[in-house]
Amino acid sequence: SLGSTVRNLIEQGLGTTLILKEGLQLLSPVITVYNGSKLAQLALNIAGRLAGAVDKKIEILIPAHTEDEFETLRSEILADVANDPGMPAGMQLNFRHIGTNVIPALLTLLSYEYRGPLVFPIDTLNTEPQSVQSLIDYIDNPVLLVQSQSSPEA
């Protein structure tokens, strides 16, 4: 089943994996979650390349405790994108402060607002594999799981 496949992918930590349910296509915008970690930076990079193939729109969801923390991360993203020669020109970035309870926020936003692919930096958000599996089971969006290349035990 899709659930057991997702659980195995998460537990094995096999890098970046696209999960696309049968009959779905890539729509806009590409969505990613950014918290300033190395995997979140990688997810943003991947989201940029994916959005470049669709329509150059990225919705960046920022889990932050305060508005100041949100603005700091937003500024960091703008600087990173400006200095990334691989980022397609003309990229439209939209930022959204989602608070720190990431999975419930994603469930709401992906169920009602966004239909594009989610580029999800899984092991930087302190989420349990079961929560990620439930999210993927519940939403219809394609999901690109971004994980470190090493196994969780390493």
Side-chain angles (χ1 to χ4, degrees):
S1 74
L2 181 60
S4 61
T5 301
V6 169
R7 186 172 43 256
N8 286 333
L9 288 169
I10 293 167
E11 288 171 357
Q12 293 175 17
L14 297 176
T16 303
T17 307
L18 177 63
I19 301 166
L20 182 63
K21 293 179 183 174
E22 186 175 351
L24 294 181
Q25 58 183 348
L26 297 181
L27 300 174
S28 175
V30 174
I31 303 111
T32 193
V33 179
Y34 187 90
N35 67 352
S37 69
K38 293 288 185 193
L39 276 184
Q41 291 170 355
L42 177 59
L44 177 62
N45 183 279
I46 292 168
R49 276 121 187 101
L50 189 56
V54 182
D55 71 351
K56 297 186 178 183
K57 293 180 183 175
I58 306 174
E59 190 72 28
I60 303 169
L61 309 177
I62 301 176
H65 293 284
T66 66
E67 193 64 31
D68 285 344
E69 183 182 356
F70 169 79
E71 286 301 328
T72 298
L73 289 169
R74 183 180 174 280
S75 296
E76 183 179 301
I77 292 165
L78 290 171
D80 287 349
V81 169
N83 294 320
D84 182 354
M87 188 66 72
M91 191 63 64
Q92 179 183 340
L93 306 175
N94 297 308
F95 300 92
R96 188 160 189 168
H97 184 183
I98 62 169
T100 57
N101 204 352
V102 175
I103 296 294
L106 286 173
L107 281 170
T108 300
L109 293 171
L110 296 173
S111 296
Y112 298 107
E113 291 187 43
Y114 304 126
R115 295 291 176 230
L118 170 65
V119 182
F120 190 75
I122 185 170
D123 55 349
T124 62
L125 298 173
N126 299 320
T127 52
E128 294 295 322
Q130 184 65 35
S131 298
V132 177
Q133 177 186 339
S134 296
L135 172 70
I136 292 169
D137 286 344
Y138 187 79
I139 63 173
D140 287 329
N141 306 60
V143 177
L144 191 72
L145 294 177
V146 179
Q147 302 181 82
S148 62
Q149 292 294 333
S150 60
S151 67
E153 296 83 33

